[in-house]
Amino acid sequence: MSCANTQSYAISVEKRYILQNVNIVDVVTGDVKKAHQVYVEDGIIQQISASNIQKPRVQIIDAKGGFLLPGLIDMHVHAYDKSAFELALSHGVTHVRIMNGIPNHLHWKQQQKEGSWLASSLTVSTPIVHSRIEPPLSWTANNGEEARRLVQKAKALGYDLIKAYGSMDKASLSAMIDEANALNIPIAKHGPHPPTGLSWEALANMQSLEHVEDIYQGILGHSHDETLIPSAIEKVSQVGVPITPTLNIFWQLTKISEFKNAFVDSLPAGYISPFIAFYQKQNQVKRWLNSQDEMVAYNIKTLSFLKKITNQLALSNVPLLVGSDAGVLLSPHGLATINEMMLLQSAGLSNIEVIRAATINAANALALDSKLGVIDEGLQADFILLEDNPLQDLTTLNNVIAVSKEGKWLGKEQLLALRENARNNHNVFSEMWTLFSN
């Protein structure tokens, strides 16, 4: 544990290079472009060719027949420590959407634009917006006028989107949607359903709807009756908005409830800041550690049911997004993203469907598809190198060989250095100040 800046050391990276002998995964078609070369300069993919690319005074990198995949995008994370985003990048997550933002996140985002901090790039939501309650690190709108003012505030401060919680009432959420549409700032909503009295159509322009758990709890009323799933999916699909299942976080609480401290102790050290870990162990984690056998059985049954809902969403062509809820319940940054992808696969999605949820679907939802989500000429050089073909074996994501972040090439050695520095140098005092000053 340290009070030092988490990136006070230097990582030597290549910024202009030709990547040779690489197989490129086309996430649009699901095909592989074999034995290609990729030329990167100024953070952009300048050229892709099946023939030799000739450039003077450029670094040549042999991919040795590895597979190139667009950088992973995690659409649902929580963190107040910069090391979280360094850890995510070290596991191939090149972009994250923070779902309870604070002003410090906007400052860190600016540091990235200036090139002074290397980590997963950020899309930052507002603090979570509630109605009638005022939790820490949140905003409250108790009527339409207050909701409109918060939208204006979000736009003025430079937040990328608004996070609307399930506690928002009809009047507040309706006004928020209207003002957000007028000011062209998107909304993501906790819970894939409208509040009482608001039509489903009102949700149509949202960036995403979060948590299949809230389909089970909200629309289905905690019923495990599988015959009710189609009607729920029909309501959700008519909105035409992507869903972020966040299966990982329910898996996490299920494991904590089932295996207690044995599971908690098995989590990798340093992936959650000491301050947040201490707080969570006294609150949310403690709740699930105290689970009785009946609750454990309920959680296992419900996780299986959430996978069935997710499967039905995919079969109904509802766009799905990878979102891990990393940072909650000690869920480790970066690793949780990969686990979410594995859980989507276990829910019945094909490998290419899972990959799209973490790449092109996410880029489309964020309106960043002109920069991210695919590997193509003219796009930002955000991609990861894998040993094996992820279309055939998703577990290859557990061993990322290299990452390109805005054209900065991080080989295995650099990734491990980035990871170990992040794990061992949490800026605890800075994080405490960040939390208590917001």
Side-chain angles (χ1 to χ4, degrees), residues 14-33:
E14 298 295 341
K15 299 179 181 179
R16 181 174 179 264
Y17 51 87
I18 295 174
L19 188 60
Q20 296 183 340
N21 190 24
V22 69
N23 301 303
I24 302 172
V25 178
D26 187 329
V27 299
V28 177
T29 65
D31 297 326
V32 175
K33 300 175 182 177

Side-chain angles (χ1 to χ4, degrees), residues 25-26 30-32 69 351-352 355 388-394:
V25 178
D26 187 329
D31 297 326
V32 175
L69 191 69
N351 286 11
I352 187 59
I355 291 168
D388 298 314
N389 185 354
L391 297 174
Q392 299 175 355
D393 182 9
L394 270 186

Side-chain angles (χ1 to χ4, degrees), residues 205-269:
N205 291 326
M206 291 197 168
Q207 189 174 90
S208 66
L209 299 170
E210 308 301 295
H211 311 301
V212 292
E213 181 183 354
D214 276 83
I215 294 178
Y216 161 68
Q217 294 177 348
I219 304 175
L220 300 179
H222 293 84
S223 172
H224 288 101
D225 186 349
E226 293 182 30
T227 65
L228 299 178
I229 295 178
S231 62
I233 300 300
E234 183 178 1
K235 292 176 181 178
V236 173
S237 63
Q238 72 182 5
V239 179
V241 172
I243 302 293
T244 315
T246 63
L247 293 172
N248 170 73
I249 203 60
F250 204 92
W251 176 90
Q252 186 86 353
L253 71 84
T254 301
K255 293 298 181 182
I256 295 172
S257 68
E258 184 176 8
F259 298 107
K260 307 296 191 290
N261 280 312
F263 176 76
V264 173
D265 293 342
S266 74
L267 294 171

Side-chain angles (χ1 to χ4, degrees), residues 22 55 102 148 150 163 201-202 240 258 343 377:
V22 69
K55 298 290 178 182
I102 56 175
R148 290 180 183 276
L150 288 183
K163 169 73 177 292
E201 289 74 14
E258 184 176 8
L343 288 165
E377 294 178 351

Side-chain angles (χ1 to χ4, degrees), residues 252 256 264 267 272 276-278 280-281 285 327-332:
Q252 186 86 353
I256 295 172
V264 173
L267 294 171
I272 300 294
I276 290 295
F278 175 80
Q280 290 185 358
K281 287 178 180 179
V285 172
V328 176
L329 288 174
L330 308 178
S331 191

Side-chain angles (χ1 to χ4, degrees), residues 138-383:
S138 67
W139 290 351
T140 300
N142 291 320
N143 54 58
E145 183 55 35
E146 289 181 356
R148 290 180 183 276
R149 285 200 296 267
L150 288 183
V151 174
Q152 295 162 12
K153 179 180 179 180
K155 186 74 173 181
L157 291 175
Y159 285 103
D160 298 303
L161 72 147
I162 297 164
K163 169 73 177 292
Y165 208 66
S167 61
M168 291 198 73
D169 57 32
K170 173 187 175 182
S172 299
L173 184 58
S174 179
M176 173 177 282
I177 292 170
D178 182 61
E179 190 70 12
N181 288 338
L183 295 182
N184 193 31
I185 181 169
I187 300 172
K189 182 183 178 297
H190 178 107
H193 53 82
T196 302
L198 191 66
S199 69
W200 278 90
E201 289 74 14
L203 307 181
N205 291 326
M206 291 197 168
Q207 189 174 90
S208 66
L209 299 170
E210 308 301 295
H211 311 301
V212 292
E213 181 183 354
D214 276 83
I215 294 178
Y216 161 68
Q217 294 177 348
I219 304 175
L220 300 179
H222 293 84
S223 172
H224 288 101
D225 186 349
E226 293 182 30
T227 65
L228 299 178
I229 295 178
S231 62
I233 300 300
E234 183 178 1
K235 292 176 181 178
V236 173
S237 63
Q238 72 182 5
V239 179
V241 172
I243 302 293
T244 315
T246 63
L247 293 172
N248 170 73
I249 203 60
F250 204 92
W251 176 90
Q252 186 86 353
L253 71 84
T254 301
K255 293 298 181 182
I256 295 172
S257 68
E258 184 176 8
F259 298 107
K260 307 296 191 290
N261 280 312
F263 176 76
V264 173
D265 293 342
S266 74
L267 294 171
Y271 275 75
I272 300 294
S273 74
F275 179 76
I276 290 295
F278 175 80
Y279 176 79
Q280 290 185 358
K281 287 178 180 179
Q282 305 308 310
N283 293 277
Q284 295 173 311
V285 172
K286 186 176 182 179
R287 171 191 175 189
W288 298 112
L289 285 174
N290 292 329
S291 297
Q292 301 300 311
D293 290 346
E294 183 179 359
M295 178 57 72
V296 173
Y298 172 85
N299 288 341
I300 293 171
K301 180 179 180 180
T302 300
L303 177 59
S304 176
F305 191 73
L306 298 184
K307 290 182 180 182
K308 291 175 182 177
I309 295 174
T310 302
N311 178 264
Q312 290 300 308
L313 286 167
L315 291 174
S316 299
N317 296 316
V318 175
L320 297 180
L321 310 173
V322 164
S324 64
D325 232 342
V328 176
L329 288 174
L330 308 178
S331 191
H333 296 282
L335 294 172
T337 310
I338 307 303
N339 192 51
E340 177 72 13
M341 296 177 73
M342 299 304 172
L343 288 165
L344 290 174
Q345 182 193 52
S346 71
L349 276 69
S350 66
N351 286 11
I352 187 59
E353 288 176 320
V354 174
I355 291 168
R356 286 170 179 156
T359 55
I360 189 170
N361 289 6
N364 288 339
L366 294 171
L368 292 176
D369 49 303
S370 63
K371 295 176 59 178
L372 307 175
V374 298
I375 297 173
D376 204 355
E377 294 178 351
L379 272 67
Q380 189 167 294
D382 278 21
F383 47 74

